[in-house]
Amino acid sequence: MDLKSLIRHARGDEPADLLLRNGRVVNVLSGEIERASVALAGEFIVGLGDYPARAAIDLGGAFVAPGFIDAHVHIESALVPPAEFARAVVPRGTTTVITDPHEIANVLGLEGIRFMFESAKFGSLNMYVMASSCVPATAMATSGAALHGYDLFPLKSDPWVLGLAEVMNYHGVIGGDDAVLEKIGAFQDRVIDGHSPGLSGVGLQAYVAAGVQSDHESTSAEEALEKLRLGMMVMIREGSVARDLAALVPIVTPANQHRFCFCTDDCQPADLLSRGGIDHAVRSAIALGMDPVAAIRLATWNPAQHFRLHQRGAVTPGRRADLVVFDDLQAPRPRLVFRNGELMARDGRMAVPPRPPSRSLRSTINIAWDAVDFRVPADGSRARVIGVLPNRLVTEALIDEPLRGNGAALADPSRDLLKIAIVERHMASGAMGKGFVRGMGLSEGALASSVAHDHHNLIVVGADDESMMTAARRVGALHGGMVVASGERILGEVALPLGGLMSAEPVETVRTQVEAAVAAARALGSPLHDPFMAMSFLALEVIPALKLTDRGLVDVGRFEFVPLWVD
Amino acid sequence: MDLKSLIRHARGDEPADLLLRNGRVVNVLSGEIERASVALAGEFIVGLGDYPARAAIDLGGAFVAPGFIDAHVHIESALVPPAEFARAVVPRGTTTVITDPHEIANVLGLEGIRFMFESAKFGSLNMYVMASSCVPATAMATSGAALHGYDLFPLKSDPWVLGLAEVMNYHGVIGGDDAVLEKIGAFQDRVIDGHSPGLSGVGLQAYVAAGVQSDHESTSAEEALEKLRLGMMVMIREGSVARDLAALVPIVTPANQHRFCFCTDDCQPADLLSRGGIDHAVRSAIALGMDPVAAIRLATWNPAQHFRLHQRGAVTPGRRADLVVFDDLQAPRPRLVFRNGELMARDGRMAVPPRPPSRSLRSTINIAWDAVDFRVPADGSRARVIGVLPNRLVTEALIDEPLRGNGAALADPSRDLLKIAIVERHMASGAMGKGFVRGMGLSEGALASSVAHDHHNLIVVGADDESMMTAARRVGALHGGMVVASGERILGEVALPLGGLMSAEPVETVRTQVEAAVAAARALGSPLHDPFMAMSFLALEVIPALKLTDRGLVDVGRFEFVPLWVD
């Protein structure tokens, strides 16, 4: 709609397309609830009050608030591309997400990011992108792509790119690493998001001084307050695994509430569909005592301000008509959701037809199968073992004596000592890391997955080589996915052909498949709540203590490779 | 300072240039006062805490706050160019101003704006410019320049230009005027400031919908609240004439305090030097009961956010070191003022030498003197008379019978009926408007000035033609200024050779000159507090009821020219 037409609508000289009559508007600017009707025309809110309109909906006194904004989310964690992700979150009131596509970027680089844009295009959700700053996370694993400063520069001219995504390499920033500073320097005029769990003192000050403007990794009130005082926007994260809301909500006050917003970071399909995302965060914050208008402000105006989305985040004339309507201010559950003036969801269901499927991506499972051999030569007696801790991303660095047979070191399920392997899957280099793991708990069979943060090589954990090969091969045949196998049999699987990270199926289907695969893994003896989720972090070489990449075992604390055998 | 060096300083690996030790930092983000030292290096704040430093100042527990920001000011109203204006405001803690140079722009167009930039360059004050949107104010007067959309576009690429200045022509916006919308359209991605006194209801909604983001004309709580709720940043104005602070401070609450800031709009030298600008607003707000940290936030963080000055507005690492130090939180009077890390003022006096004088400007007093004739032919009996109201910008439309003699209509000081004339002074066209005025109160003599909003033609008010010519000629000889004359004698004068608006003298000298000229005018019988200020608005054809331009008498309500004689 052109400016002149917008003004005519706002004057009331042209009838609005839709009048949301008899509402109670949540005004995140004044902190008030106002009885008013809201007039929409084209993609805009044109005015508040009794406007002439071509159509009207009587809200019966329901609340009207701005659409929710997820300040930081990795869509790939939901195992579906943006169009399907939207089907999960839009009915719950999230109309805008700020996403860091660093999972797909680790596999496919700029092509992966473009795929995410394309899947979101003309969809039901505003998907803004932060340019992934840490692809790959380190040089200690083989990723499918690397994004250097000169790769990121062109993204700046995309109107949907808002800045530089979470700068996870805070050591690099503080240490003055040239490659990291090149990226930060290029985005000094934009938003630069941070990621600095536990960082404090002068290290944190250096990180902030470099231009990093937010953090979503605070897990304690003390940590969040230090970051807030130093100028960071504090993103309160409530995801599937990391749940920081209860610890952080108590520090939000009227004087500092402008410096907080909500994010989910990583959410599984089941959580998005059952519990919710940002809507869940809003309800949780209110339940913990936060003023409802303030909680809604954290989910709307504050992230809009942080990300400089000046057309969104409030119910005022001239802004984009991203709106949610709900009945209970103490526990908002949107029953109508508008995005850009269009009704996108009603009563928890999409009100628009699904988008046609995203374009297909080339297969990203490129493995030199001839080189894949899960046999571990028995070159020592005592081996380093990765110790899995339930519901933690950190691992223990253990030492144990594997079984031996035919010159090979073997798994021993009776002692919960399984084999683990990382098979390079991007460029069929034949690179493979092998080792042992405790805590996955399989009594037989194997799990394999192409989701293995952040490089997303093929990760396999198993009790015997045959099962491992069956599972690994099946992931290959699916062009990516999560598989449970025993011997020659496939016991469960989720195909993730989009980059080896995302499914081409509806999100509800993916949820069911994941639940079945998890059940199959648990049937094989794993005591973990979600063995695949746990497994996906065993290859992440930036989180302590002992991890495995396709290049070998990494002692994260010393940030160096270590041999499998101690002696 | 490059990023790497900044980080090294923030880490403490390089000593800071200066440590402000033992301070109490006003944290406008957390709403707290924190005991801390502040380390500066180059133009930046590098950290809070006990940093190694090459030099230190012990603050003895004094408060450290961000430098004050004036959200909207016409520097020309202080009758001095930016470098001198800075000498008045910087010692009082204003380190940044957002200025609309529309006075000089009405005289010299883009050349005038460039002159303002040049005067501010390398100075002690951050001067950001909003591109003047309403030059000329209307087509009913002859201005020295006109700025169309295509004149303003190139300004967008100047890093010191933040957006479009107060869109005073709100009728044009609401009515969909193409020329106004062209300018608004061009600045949709920037800040667009408003000016909409008394605008309400659907008219206001249309104005906001068009993209106008702020207003500084609210004079009542009700007016400000309506604008706030509709999405406008409310600028609380406390200038020399318009003083809205006492009316608006009571509506500021913890829930809405993020939507207010302070501005001065127009301040005379005497007020800036004696009373203060933004520092005065902060003290006044606190005296009226506002929380001091909140008041300081309105003067720092809030305008920085509104104008997207992401490097300013808070005392946090990596921001520009614009700082004020003061002892009394209940009545802040900055005793140290830093801008970009440099000590600019101490104890109310500049700590850096004055800048060399600004480059001279061509004379802008271009008058066809042969055509200047103050005689008013007696072509009727009853004449329209402009009625001056003390301390108001609006006038009354009166009717009276002038004295007559030799076929001419004459002034009659005994009835306070003086002659008024506007002489076109930009392009020597010979255009002249003539009429009568009541309320200026001269018993003899004349006043002339080249400051006459907004077109700034030569305005003359007097009791006889000889005095009027003497005063007018003297303004011409000065290349602009304010003059008091009687017969052939000059009784007082302020030379304003820079565009006919600003002096080339120090601001203290200008203040003295203005006070002497005002005293001279009052000695001639004027009862007005400031006869020159009152006179400068008699030619402003956008404020009711009856005004005079070089093209004739304007009935502002009907927005049309009217004849001098009623019958």
Side-chain angles (χ1 to χ4, degrees):
Chain A
M1 182 179 299
D2 69 9
L3 200 50
K4 202 171 252 185
S5 176
L6 176 59
I7 291 167
R8 288 178 54 80
H9 280 99
R11 278 198 322 245
D13 290 349
E14 288 268 6
D17 294 333
L18 179 66
L19 187 67
L20 301 176
R21 190 179 281 155
N22 189 18
R24 282 182 282 179
V25 175
V26 178
N27 193 319
V28 292
L29 304 172
S30 68
E32 302 163 313
I33 308 282
E34 306 169 82
R35 287 203 172 267
S37 300
V38 182
L40 315 184
E43 59 269 44
F44 297 101
I45 300 161
V46 294
L48 280 77
D50 288 321
Y51 276 83
R54 280 184 254 274
I57 299 175
D58 191 309
L59 299 184
F63 296 91
V64 185
F68 301 147
I69 300 174
D70 192 335
H72 177 71
V73 58
H74 304 285
I75 289 175
E76 303 96 314
S77 294
L79 305 176
V80 288
E84 273 303 304
F85 178 84
R87 289 188 54 248
V89 303
V90 170
R92 293 175 157 277
T94 295
T95 53
T96 298
V97 297
I98 319 299
T99 191
D100 169 11
H102 79 208
E103 313 299 354
I104 191 73
N106 265 286
V107 177
L108 282 168
L110 290 176
E111 185 190 349
I113 294 176
R114 288 281 155 219
F115 167 78
M116 299 296 271
F117 278 127
E118 197 162 323
S119 170
K121 206 163 57 176
F122 311 126
S124 55
L125 180 70
N126 305 307
M127 186 188 83
Y128 293 97
V129 163
M130 300 294 278
S132 304
S133 67
C134 298
V135 176
T138 77
M140 301 180 89
T142 306
S143 63
L147 295 178
H148 302 283
Y150 53 79
D151 297 310
L152 300 181
F153 296 159
L155 288 175
K156 286 185 71 178
S157 61
D158 189 307
W160 293 92
V161 172
L162 302 178
L164 190 65
E166 50 174 339
V167 183
M168 297 188 289
N169 186 1
Y170 56 83
H171 292 297
V173 176
I174 299 166
D177 178 86
D178 283 320
V180 179
L181 294 193
E182 183 195 16
K183 294 172 187 173
I184 287 182
F187 283 84
Q188 286 278 303
D189 59 338
R190 301 294 177 87
V191 184
I192 300 177
D193 279 334
H195 164 116
S196 55
L199 189 61
S200 174
V202 291
L204 182 60
Q205 302 214 52
Y207 189 61
V208 172
V212 179
Q213 299 156 22
S214 73
D215 183 78
H216 56 265
E217 294 285 340
S218 292
T219 54
S220 73
E222 183 187 10
E223 181 178 0
L225 277 171
E226 182 179 3
K227 288 171 176 172
L228 163 71
R229 289 172 182 140
L230 288 176
M232 290 180 138
M233 173 64 85
V234 175
M235 296 179 179
I236 299 176
R237 175 175 55 184
E238 190 72 356
S240 283
V241 176
R243 303 182 180 193
D244 308 319
L245 190 138
L248 302 186
V249 158
I251 64 171
V252 181
T253 70
N256 69 23
Q257 64 175 350
H258 60 128
R259 301 303 295 160
F260 291 89
C261 46
F262 293 124
C263 72
T264 61
D265 205 354
D266 298 282
C267 266
Q268 295 165 292
D271 284 323
L272 288 178
L273 292 170
S274 302
R275 188 191 72 174
I278 296 301
D279 60 315
H280 168 71
V282 170
R283 287 190 299 272
S284 302
I286 296 171
L288 287 167
M290 194 184 293
D291 168 64
V293 178
I296 291 168
R297 184 175 155 194
L298 264 65
T300 58
W301 178 256
N302 288 3
Q305 288 294 103
H306 176 71
F307 289 105
R308 309 177 192 177
L309 298 174
H310 301 292
Q311 284 211 312
R312 307 192 191 273
V315 185
T316 60
R319 287 185 200 274
R320 297 280 173 160
D322 296 348
L323 300 171
V324 296
V325 173
F326 54 87
D327 295 305
D328 183 356
L329 188 63
Q330 296 303 318
R333 289 181 191 279
R335 62 174 166 89
L336 298 177
V337 181
F338 296 87
R339 180 246 183 172
N340 281 354
E342 194 181 347
L343 181 67
M344 289 295 173
R346 181 195 291 272
D347 298 329
R349 289 206 175 78
M350 293 302 290
V352 292
R355 284 199 60 214
S358 305
R359 73 182 169 96
S360 58
L361 278 167
R362 68 175 170 85
S363 172
T364 60
I365 308 296
N366 301 302
I367 291 175
W369 288 108
D370 290 347
V372 177
D373 178 3
F374 293 106
R375 183 174 185 275
V376 177
D379 293 339
S381 57
R382 297 197 307 146
R384 288 186 169 80
V385 174
I386 299 171
V388 176
L389 297 167
N391 302 317
R392 301 285 303 276
L393 304 189
V394 297
T395 61
E396 292 179 300
L398 309 174
I399 290 173
D400 208 333
E401 292 184 29
L403 279 184
R404 304 168 77 98
N406 287 332
L410 307 175
D412 183 358
S414 69
R415 289 187 290 146
D416 187 17
L417 200 59
L418 301 177
K419 288 170 70 172
I420 179 170
I422 307 290
V423 182
E424 191 280 310
R425 63 103 159 172
H426 300 292
M427 44 203 68
S429 66
M432 237 185 118
K434 293 184 254 192
F436 291 88
V437 62
R438 169 161 288 151
M440 289 295 293
L442 300 180
S443 55
E444 60 168 304
L447 311 182
S449 175
S450 52
V451 179
H453 299 283
D454 280 347
H455 44 79
H456 300 300
N457 286 303
L458 177 62
I459 186 166
V460 192
V461 168
D464 66 279
D465 291 7
E466 184 188 13
S467 299
M468 291 173 80
M469 188 59 87
T470 302
R473 285 278 192 181
R474 183 61 186 160
V475 170
L478 295 172
H479 305 294
M482 310 191 311
V483 170
V484 186
S486 183
E488 293 182 350
R489 287 178 304 134
I490 305 296
L491 304 176
E493 66 182 35
V494 184
L496 301 172
L498 301 170
L501 298 173
M502 293 172 284
S503 171
E505 299 295 320
V507 62
E508 297 86 350
T509 307
V510 178
R511 174 202 187 159
T512 307
Q513 291 175 345
V514 170
E515 286 174 344
V518 166
R522 290 170 56 88
L524 290 182
S526 178
L528 296 173
H529 175 67
D530 184 342
F532 281 102
M533 171 73 75
M535 188 171 73
S536 74
F537 288 102
L538 300 182
L540 182 52
E541 74 277 18
V542 294
I543 296 189
L546 187 65
K547 296 293 171 84
L548 180 68
T549 78
D550 64 303
R551 298 183 53 205
L553 276 172
V554 178
D555 178 327
V556 180
R558 288 154 56 196
F559 207 57
E560 62 184 31
F561 290 111
V562 287
L564 172 60
W565 298 103
V566 183
D567 52 40
Chain B
M1 181 181 297
D2 69 10
L3 201 49
K4 202 171 253 184
S5 176
L6 176 59
I7 292 167
R8 287 177 56 79
H9 280 99
R11 279 198 321 246
D13 291 349
E14 288 268 6
D17 293 333
L18 179 65
L19 187 67
L20 301 177
R21 190 178 284 155
N22 188 19
R24 281 183 284 180
V25 175
V26 178
N27 192 320
V28 292
L29 303 173
S30 69
E32 303 163 313
I33 307 282
E34 306 169 81
R35 288 202 172 269
S37 300
V38 181
L40 315 185
E43 59 270 43
F44 297 101
I45 300 161
V46 294
L48 279 76
D50 289 321
Y51 277 83
R54 280 184 253 275
I57 299 176
D58 192 309
L59 300 184
F63 296 90
V64 184
F68 300 147
I69 299 174
D70 191 337
H72 176 71
V73 59
H74 304 285
I75 289 175
E76 303 96 314
S77 294
L79 305 177
V80 289
E84 273 303 303
F85 178 84
R87 289 188 52 247
V89 302
V90 170
R92 291 174 158 276
T94 295
T95 52
T96 298
V97 296
I98 319 298
T99 191
D100 169 11
H102 78 207
E103 314 298 354
I104 191 73
N106 266 285
V107 176
L108 282 167
L110 289 175
E111 184 190 348
I113 295 177
R114 287 282 155 218
F115 167 78
M116 299 297 271
F117 276 127
E118 197 162 324
S119 171
K121 205 164 57 178
F122 312 126
S124 55
L125 181 69
N126 305 307
M127 186 189 82
Y128 293 97
V129 164
M130 300 294 277
S132 304
S133 66
C134 298
V135 175
T138 78
M140 301 179 90
T142 305
S143 63
L147 295 178
H148 302 283
Y150 53 78
D151 297 310
L152 300 181
F153 296 160
L155 288 175
K156 285 185 73 179
S157 62
D158 189 307
W160 292 92
V161 172
L162 302 179
L164 190 65
E166 52 174 339
V167 183
M168 297 188 287
N169 185 3
Y170 56 84
H171 292 297
V173 175
I174 299 167
D177 178 86
D178 283 321
V180 178
L181 294 194
E182 183 195 16
K183 294 172 188 173
I184 287 182
F187 282 85
Q188 286 278 304
D189 58 337
R190 302 294 177 89
V191 184
I192 300 178
D193 278 334
H195 164 116
S196 56
L199 189 61
S200 175
V202 290
L204 181 60
Q205 301 215 48
Y207 189 61
V208 172
V212 178
Q213 299 156 21
S214 74
D215 183 80
H216 56 265
E217 293 286 339
S218 292
T219 54
S220 74
E222 183 188 10
E223 182 178 359
L225 278 172
E226 182 180 2
K227 289 171 175 171
L228 163 71
R229 289 172 182 142
L230 288 176
M232 289 180 138
M233 174 65 83
V234 175
M235 297 180 176
I236 299 176
R237 175 176 56 185
E238 190 72 356
S240 283
V241 176
R243 302 183 181 192
D244 308 319
L245 190 138
L248 302 185
V249 159
I251 64 172
V252 181
T253 69
N256 68 22
Q257 64 176 350
H258 60 130
R259 301 302 296 160
F260 291 89
C261 46
F262 294 124
C263 72
T264 61
D265 206 355
D266 298 281
C267 268
Q268 295 165 292
D271 284 323
L272 289 177
L273 292 169
S274 299
R275 187 192 72 174
I278 297 300
D279 59 316
H280 168 70
V282 169
R283 288 190 299 271
S284 301
I286 296 170
L288 287 167
M290 194 184 292
D291 168 66
V293 178
I296 290 167
R297 185 175 154 192
L298 264 65
T300 58
W301 178 255
N302 289 3
Q305 288 294 102
H306 177 70
F307 289 106
R308 309 177 191 177
L309 298 174
H310 302 292
Q311 284 210 314
R312 308 193 191 273
V315 185
T316 60
R319 287 184 200 274
R320 297 279 171 162
D322 296 347
L323 299 171
V324 296
V325 173
F326 54 87
D327 295 307
D328 183 356
L329 188 62
Q330 296 303 318
R333 290 180 189 279
R335 62 175 167 88
L336 298 176
V337 181
F338 296 86
R339 181 244 182 174
N340 281 355
E342 192 181 348
L343 181 66
M344 288 296 172
R346 181 195 291 272
D347 298 330
R349 289 206 176 76
M350 293 301 291
V352 292
R355 286 198 59 215
S358 305
R359 73 180 169 98
S360 59
L361 278 167
R362 67 174 170 87
S363 172
T364 60
I365 307 296
N366 300 302
I367 291 175
W369 287 109
D370 291 346
V372 176
D373 178 2
F374 293 106
R375 183 174 184 276
V376 177
D379 294 339
S381 58
R382 298 197 306 147
R384 289 187 169 81
V385 174
I386 299 171
V388 176
L389 297 167
N391 301 317
R392 301 286 301 277
L393 304 188
V394 296
T395 61
E396 291 179 299
L398 309 175
I399 290 174
D400 208 334
E401 292 185 29
L403 279 184
R404 304 168 78 96
N406 285 332
L410 306 175
D412 182 358
S414 70
R415 290 186 290 146
D416 187 17
L417 200 60
L418 301 177
K419 289 170 71 173
I420 178 169
I422 307 291
V423 181
E424 190 281 309
R425 64 100 160 174
H426 300 293
M427 43 203 68
S429 66
M432 236 185 117
K434 294 184 254 193
F436 291 88
V437 61
R438 168 161 289 149
M440 290 295 292
L442 300 181
S443 56
E444 61 166 305
L447 312 182
S449 175
S450 53
V451 178
H453 300 282
D454 279 346
H455 44 78
H456 300 300
N457 285 303
L458 176 61
I459 187 166
V460 193
V461 166
D464 67 279
D465 293 5
E466 184 188 14
S467 298
M468 290 174 80
M469 188 59 86
T470 302
R473 285 278 192 181
R474 183 61 186 160
V475 171
L478 294 171
H479 304 294
M482 309 190 312
V483 170
V484 186
S486 185
E488 293 184 348
R489 287 179 303 135
I490 303 297
L491 304 176
E493 66 181 35
V494 184
L496 301 173
L498 300 170
L501 298 173
M502 294 172 284
S503 171
E505 299 295 320
V507 61
E508 297 87 351
T509 306
V510 177
R511 173 199 188 163
T512 306
Q513 290 175 346
V514 170
E515 286 173 343
V518 165
R522 289 169 57 89
L524 290 181
S526 179
L528 297 172
H529 175 68
D530 184 342
F532 280 102
M533 171 73 74
M535 188 170 74
S536 74
F537 288 102
L538 300 183
L540 182 51
E541 74 278 16
V542 293
I543 295 187
L546 187 65
K547 297 292 171 83
L548 181 68
T549 79
D550 64 306
R551 298 183 53 204
L553 276 172
V554 178
D555 178 328
V556 180
R558 288 155 56 197
F559 206 57
E560 62 184 31
F561 289 112
V562 287
L564 173 59
W565 298 102
V566 182
D567 51 39

